[in-house]
Amino acid sequence: MLSYGPDLIDIWRRTASYVDRILRGAKPAELPVQLPTKFELVINLKTAKALGLTIPETLLATADEVIQ
């Protein structure tokens, strides 16, 4: 019904910079570990209705994606 987690597309884009550094000669062990910086909230209204739940409008307004 609700999903909040890192934006996978953003993670894949940042992975490209790591590949570029490695191909240019950087040692993988010396590259810094980066934590996700962009998160997304997805709400599935169909599931919420099936469970008899009402999602507040303020939460729907802040969601990145709302599945009807």
Side-chain angles (χ1 to χ4, degrees), residues 17-64:
S17 68
Y18 272 83
V19 172
D20 180 53
R21 289 179 180 179
I22 292 170
L23 292 176
R24 292 178 188 261
K27 296 180 182 178
E30 295 176 357
L31 292 176
V33 175
Q34 293 184 357
L35 298 175
T37 57
K38 185 176 178 188
F39 292 86
E40 64 182 0
L41 173 64
V42 179
I43 300 173
N44 189 329
L45 287 179
K46 185 176 179 181
T47 303
K49 284 182 182 180
L51 294 172
L53 301 173
T54 304
I55 306 296
E57 290 296 323
T58 54
L59 188 59
L60 290 173
T62 60
D64 295 304

Side-chain angles (χ1 to χ4, degrees), residues 5-18:
D7 183 5
L8 297 178
I9 295 172
D10 184 52
I11 290 174
W12 280 106
R13 285 183 184 142
R14 293 183 350 170
T15 301
S17 68
Y18 272 83

